[in-house]
Short mmCIF file of all heavy atoms in Angstrom, two decimals:
data_model
loop_
_atom_site.label_atom_id
_atom_site.label_comp_id
_atom_site.label_asym_id
_atom_site.label_seq_id
_atom_site.Cartn_x
_atom_site.Cartn_y
_atom_site.Cartn_z
N GLY A 27 -11.41 -10.28 4.98
CA GLY A 27 -12.12 -10.82 6.15
C GLY A 27 -11.21 -10.99 7.34
O GLY A 27 -11.55 -10.58 8.46
N ASN A 28 -10.04 -11.61 7.14
CA ASN A 28 -9.08 -11.78 8.24
C ASN A 28 -8.63 -10.44 8.79
O ASN A 28 -8.54 -10.24 10.01
CB ASN A 28 -7.85 -12.55 7.74
CG ASN A 28 -8.07 -14.04 7.67
OD1 ASN A 28 -9.04 -14.56 8.22
ND2 ASN A 28 -7.19 -14.73 6.98
N THR A 29 -8.33 -9.50 7.89
CA THR A 29 -7.86 -8.20 8.33
C THR A 29 -8.92 -7.50 9.17
O THR A 29 -8.63 -6.99 10.26
CB THR A 29 -7.50 -7.32 7.11
OG1 THR A 29 -6.48 -7.98 6.34
CG2 THR A 29 -7.00 -5.96 7.54
N ALA A 30 -10.17 -7.49 8.70
CA ALA A 30 -11.24 -6.83 9.44
C ALA A 30 -11.43 -7.45 10.82
O ALA A 30 -11.58 -6.74 11.82
CB ALA A 30 -12.53 -6.89 8.63
N GLU A 31 -11.40 -8.77 10.88
CA GLU A 31 -11.62 -9.46 12.16
C GLU A 31 -10.50 -9.14 13.16
O GLU A 31 -10.77 -8.84 14.34
CB GLU A 31 -11.69 -10.97 11.93
CG GLU A 31 -11.95 -11.77 13.19
CD GLU A 31 -12.04 -13.27 12.93
OE1 GLU A 31 -12.07 -13.67 11.75
OE2 GLU A 31 -12.07 -14.03 13.92
N LEU A 32 -9.26 -9.19 12.70
CA LEU A 32 -8.14 -8.94 13.59
C LEU A 32 -8.07 -7.48 14.01
O LEU A 32 -7.71 -7.17 15.16
CB LEU A 32 -6.83 -9.37 12.92
CG LEU A 32 -6.63 -10.88 12.83
CD1 LEU A 32 -5.51 -11.22 11.87
CD2 LEU A 32 -6.34 -11.47 14.20
N VAL A 33 -8.40 -6.56 13.10
CA VAL A 33 -8.40 -5.13 13.43
C VAL A 33 -9.44 -4.83 14.51
O VAL A 33 -9.20 -4.02 15.42
CB VAL A 33 -8.63 -4.28 12.16
CG1 VAL A 33 -8.99 -2.84 12.52
CG2 VAL A 33 -7.39 -4.32 11.28
N GLU A 34 -10.60 -5.48 14.44
CA GLU A 34 -11.63 -5.27 15.46
C GLU A 34 -11.14 -5.68 16.85
O GLU A 34 -11.51 -5.08 17.86
CB GLU A 34 -12.88 -6.08 15.11
CG GLU A 34 -13.67 -5.54 13.94
CD GLU A 34 -14.86 -6.41 13.61
OE1 GLU A 34 -15.28 -7.21 14.50
OE2 GLU A 34 -15.38 -6.32 12.49
N GLN A 35 -10.28 -6.70 16.90
CA GLN A 35 -9.81 -7.22 18.19
C GLN A 35 -8.56 -6.50 18.70
O GLN A 35 -8.17 -6.67 19.85
CB GLN A 35 -9.49 -8.72 18.04
CG GLN A 35 -10.66 -9.57 17.63
CD GLN A 35 -10.22 -10.97 17.19
OE1 GLN A 35 -9.03 -11.31 17.23
NE2 GLN A 35 -11.18 -11.79 16.78
N ALA A 36 -7.95 -5.68 17.86
CA ALA A 36 -6.62 -5.13 18.16
C ALA A 36 -6.68 -3.94 19.12
O ALA A 36 -7.61 -3.13 19.08
CB ALA A 36 -5.95 -4.69 16.87
N ASP A 37 -5.65 -3.85 19.93
CA ASP A 37 -5.40 -2.63 20.70
C ASP A 37 -4.54 -1.67 19.89
O ASP A 37 -4.64 -0.45 20.05
CB ASP A 37 -4.69 -2.97 22.01
CG ASP A 37 -5.54 -3.86 22.90
OD1 ASP A 37 -6.62 -3.41 23.34
OD2 ASP A 37 -5.13 -5.01 23.14
N MET A 38 -3.69 -2.23 19.02
CA MET A 38 -2.81 -1.42 18.18
C MET A 38 -2.72 -2.05 16.80
O MET A 38 -2.60 -3.27 16.68
CB MET A 38 -1.40 -1.34 18.79
CG MET A 38 -0.42 -0.49 18.00
SD MET A 38 1.31 -0.71 18.56
CE MET A 38 1.15 -0.37 20.31
N VAL A 39 -2.79 -1.22 15.77
CA VAL A 39 -2.59 -1.67 14.40
C VAL A 39 -1.44 -0.85 13.81
O VAL A 39 -1.47 0.38 13.85
CB VAL A 39 -3.85 -1.49 13.53
CG1 VAL A 39 -3.57 -1.96 12.09
CG2 VAL A 39 -5.03 -2.25 14.12
N ILE A 40 -0.44 -1.55 13.29
CA ILE A 40 0.70 -0.89 12.65
C ILE A 40 0.59 -1.11 11.15
O ILE A 40 0.60 -2.26 10.68
CB ILE A 40 2.04 -1.45 13.19
CG1 ILE A 40 2.16 -1.15 14.69
CG2 ILE A 40 3.22 -0.85 12.42
CD1 ILE A 40 3.35 -1.81 15.36
N GLY A 41 0.48 -0.03 10.40
CA GLY A 41 0.40 -0.10 8.94
C GLY A 41 1.80 -0.08 8.36
O GLY A 41 2.51 0.91 8.49
N ALA A 42 2.18 -1.18 7.71
CA ALA A 42 3.56 -1.33 7.24
C ALA A 42 3.60 -1.81 5.80
O ALA A 42 4.47 -2.60 5.43
CB ALA A 42 4.31 -2.30 8.15
N VAL A 43 2.66 -1.35 4.98
CA VAL A 43 2.61 -1.80 3.59
C VAL A 43 3.42 -0.86 2.70
O VAL A 43 3.57 0.32 2.98
CB VAL A 43 1.17 -1.87 3.06
CG1 VAL A 43 0.39 -2.92 3.82
CG2 VAL A 43 0.48 -0.52 3.16
N LEU A 44 3.95 -1.42 1.60
CA LEU A 44 4.75 -0.63 0.67
C LEU A 44 4.58 -1.16 -0.73
O LEU A 44 4.74 -2.36 -0.97
CB LEU A 44 6.23 -0.67 1.05
CG LEU A 44 7.19 -0.01 0.04
CD1 LEU A 44 7.02 1.50 0.06
CD2 LEU A 44 8.63 -0.40 0.33
N ILE A 45 4.23 -0.28 -1.65
CA ILE A 45 4.33 -0.54 -3.07
C ILE A 45 5.39 0.43 -3.57
O ILE A 45 5.17 1.64 -3.56
CB ILE A 45 2.99 -0.32 -3.80
CG1 ILE A 45 1.92 -1.23 -3.20
CG2 ILE A 45 3.15 -0.58 -5.30
CD1 ILE A 45 0.53 -0.98 -3.76
N PRO A 46 6.58 -0.06 -3.97
CA PRO A 46 7.71 0.83 -4.24
C PRO A 46 7.35 2.01 -5.14
O PRO A 46 6.87 1.85 -6.25
CB PRO A 46 8.72 -0.10 -4.91
CG PRO A 46 8.43 -1.44 -4.33
CD PRO A 46 6.93 -1.48 -4.18
N GLY A 47 7.59 3.21 -4.61
CA GLY A 47 7.40 4.44 -5.36
C GLY A 47 5.96 4.85 -5.58
O GLY A 47 5.70 5.93 -6.11
N ALA A 48 5.00 4.00 -5.18
CA ALA A 48 3.59 4.26 -5.45
C ALA A 48 2.87 4.69 -4.19
O ALA A 48 3.37 4.55 -3.08
CB ALA A 48 2.93 3.01 -6.03
N GLU A 49 1.66 5.21 -4.38
CA GLU A 49 0.84 5.59 -3.25
C GLU A 49 0.39 4.35 -2.50
O GLU A 49 0.04 3.33 -3.10
CB GLU A 49 -0.37 6.40 -3.72
CG GLU A 49 -1.12 7.09 -2.59
CD GLU A 49 -2.07 8.16 -3.10
OE1 GLU A 49 -2.22 8.29 -4.33
OE2 GLU A 49 -2.66 8.85 -2.25
N ALA A 50 0.41 4.41 -1.18
CA ALA A 50 0.04 3.26 -0.36
C ALA A 50 -1.45 2.94 -0.51
O ALA A 50 -2.27 3.85 -0.59
CB ALA A 50 0.37 3.52 1.11
N PRO A 51 -1.82 1.66 -0.55
CA PRO A 51 -3.23 1.30 -0.60
C PRO A 51 -3.90 1.58 0.73
O PRO A 51 -3.27 1.51 1.79
CB PRO A 51 -3.20 -0.21 -0.88
CG PRO A 51 -1.89 -0.66 -0.31
CD PRO A 51 -0.94 0.48 -0.51
N LYS A 52 -5.18 1.92 0.70
CA LYS A 52 -5.93 2.20 1.93
C LYS A 52 -6.55 0.90 2.45
O LYS A 52 -7.44 0.32 1.82
CB LYS A 52 -7.03 3.24 1.65
CG LYS A 52 -6.47 4.57 1.14
CD LYS A 52 -5.58 5.25 2.16
CE LYS A 52 -5.11 6.63 1.72
NZ LYS A 52 -3.99 6.57 0.77
N LEU A 53 -6.06 0.42 3.58
CA LEU A 53 -6.42 -0.90 4.07
C LEU A 53 -7.44 -0.87 5.19
O LEU A 53 -8.06 -1.89 5.48
CB LEU A 53 -5.15 -1.61 4.55
CG LEU A 53 -4.05 -1.76 3.49
CD1 LEU A 53 -2.83 -2.41 4.08
CD2 LEU A 53 -4.57 -2.57 2.30
N ILE A 54 -7.61 0.27 5.83
CA ILE A 54 -8.65 0.41 6.87
C ILE A 54 -9.45 1.66 6.53
O ILE A 54 -8.90 2.76 6.41
CB ILE A 54 -8.04 0.52 8.28
CG1 ILE A 54 -7.31 -0.78 8.65
CG2 ILE A 54 -9.13 0.81 9.31
CD1 ILE A 54 -6.67 -0.74 10.03
N THR A 55 -10.75 1.49 6.38
CA THR A 55 -11.62 2.61 6.03
C THR A 55 -12.10 3.32 7.29
O THR A 55 -12.01 2.79 8.40
CB THR A 55 -12.83 2.12 5.24
OG1 THR A 55 -13.65 1.29 6.11
CG2 THR A 55 -12.43 1.31 4.02
N ARG A 56 -12.65 4.51 7.09
CA ARG A 56 -13.20 5.24 8.24
C ARG A 56 -14.35 4.47 8.86
O ARG A 56 -14.50 4.43 10.09
CB ARG A 56 -13.67 6.63 7.81
CG ARG A 56 -14.27 7.42 8.97
CD ARG A 56 -14.34 8.88 8.74
NE ARG A 56 -14.69 9.58 9.98
CZ ARG A 56 -14.44 10.85 10.22
NH1 ARG A 56 -13.84 11.59 9.31
NH2 ARG A 56 -14.79 11.41 11.36
N ALA A 57 -15.16 3.82 8.04
CA ALA A 57 -16.30 3.06 8.56
C ALA A 57 -15.84 1.96 9.51
O ALA A 57 -16.55 1.63 10.47
CB ALA A 57 -17.10 2.46 7.40
N GLN A 58 -14.66 1.38 9.26
CA GLN A 58 -14.16 0.30 10.12
C GLN A 58 -13.77 0.79 11.51
O GLN A 58 -13.71 -0.02 12.45
CB GLN A 58 -12.97 -0.38 9.46
CG GLN A 58 -13.33 -1.29 8.29
CD GLN A 58 -12.10 -1.91 7.66
OE1 GLN A 58 -11.46 -1.31 6.80
NE2 GLN A 58 -11.75 -3.10 8.10
N LEU A 59 -13.51 2.08 11.66
CA LEU A 59 -13.10 2.58 12.97
C LEU A 59 -14.17 2.33 14.02
O LEU A 59 -13.87 2.09 15.19
CB LEU A 59 -12.77 4.07 12.89
CG LEU A 59 -11.66 4.52 11.94
CD1 LEU A 59 -11.36 5.99 12.14
CD2 LEU A 59 -10.40 3.68 12.10
N SER A 60 -15.43 2.37 13.60
CA SER A 60 -16.52 2.18 14.56
C SER A 60 -16.56 0.76 15.11
O SER A 60 -17.18 0.51 16.15
CB SER A 60 -17.86 2.53 13.91
OG SER A 60 -18.13 1.68 12.82
N ASP A 61 -15.91 -0.18 14.42
CA ASP A 61 -15.87 -1.56 14.89
C ASP A 61 -14.67 -1.84 15.77
O ASP A 61 -14.56 -2.93 16.35
CB ASP A 61 -15.83 -2.53 13.69
CG ASP A 61 -17.07 -2.45 12.83
OD1 ASP A 61 -18.17 -2.26 13.40
OD2 ASP A 61 -16.95 -2.57 11.59
N MET A 62 -13.76 -0.87 15.89
CA MET A 62 -12.56 -1.07 16.69
C MET A 62 -12.81 -0.74 18.15
O MET A 62 -13.79 -0.09 18.51
CB MET A 62 -11.42 -0.20 16.14
CG MET A 62 -10.97 -0.58 14.74
SD MET A 62 -9.60 0.47 14.14
CE MET A 62 -8.29 -0.04 15.27
N LYS A 63 -11.89 -1.18 19.00
CA LYS A 63 -11.98 -0.88 20.42
C LYS A 63 -11.73 0.62 20.65
O LYS A 63 -10.78 1.17 20.10
CB LYS A 63 -10.93 -1.67 21.19
CG LYS A 63 -11.09 -3.18 21.12
CD LYS A 63 -9.93 -3.85 21.86
CE LYS A 63 -10.04 -5.36 21.82
NZ LYS A 63 -8.88 -6.02 22.48
N PRO A 64 -12.56 1.29 21.42
CA PRO A 64 -12.33 2.71 21.71
C PRO A 64 -10.94 2.93 22.30
O PRO A 64 -10.52 2.20 23.20
CB PRO A 64 -13.42 3.04 22.73
CG PRO A 64 -14.50 2.04 22.47
CD PRO A 64 -13.79 0.78 22.07
N GLY A 65 -10.24 3.91 21.77
CA GLY A 65 -8.90 4.21 22.26
C GLY A 65 -7.80 3.37 21.64
O GLY A 65 -6.63 3.52 22.01
N ALA A 66 -8.14 2.50 20.71
CA ALA A 66 -7.11 1.73 20.01
C ALA A 66 -6.20 2.67 19.24
O ALA A 66 -6.58 3.79 18.90
CB ALA A 66 -7.75 0.71 19.07
N ALA A 67 -4.98 2.22 18.95
CA ALA A 67 -3.97 3.05 18.29
C ALA A 67 -3.71 2.56 16.87
O ALA A 67 -3.51 1.36 16.66
CB ALA A 67 -2.67 3.06 19.09
#
């Protein structure tokens, strides 16, 4: 919930997650892009 709310308000989101040696978890879905500000990075 917090992540979704803050991502909607953001001009820029920096993905900086790490699980050592493993594939990174997907934290923002394509569906969430429609809730973001147009032109956000």
Side-chain angles (χ1 to χ4, degrees):
N28 280 346
T29 301
E31 181 179 351
L32 287 166
V33 165
E34 288 178 19
Q35 300 167 2
D37 298 296
M38 181 192 306
V39 179
I40 297 173
V43 295
L44 173 70
I45 301 174
E49 193 165 5
K52 300 297 185 281
L53 303 177
I54 296 179
T55 66
R56 179 161 190 158
Q58 286 178 275
L59 301 188
S60 62
D61 297 324
M62 295 181 67
K63 297 177 180 177

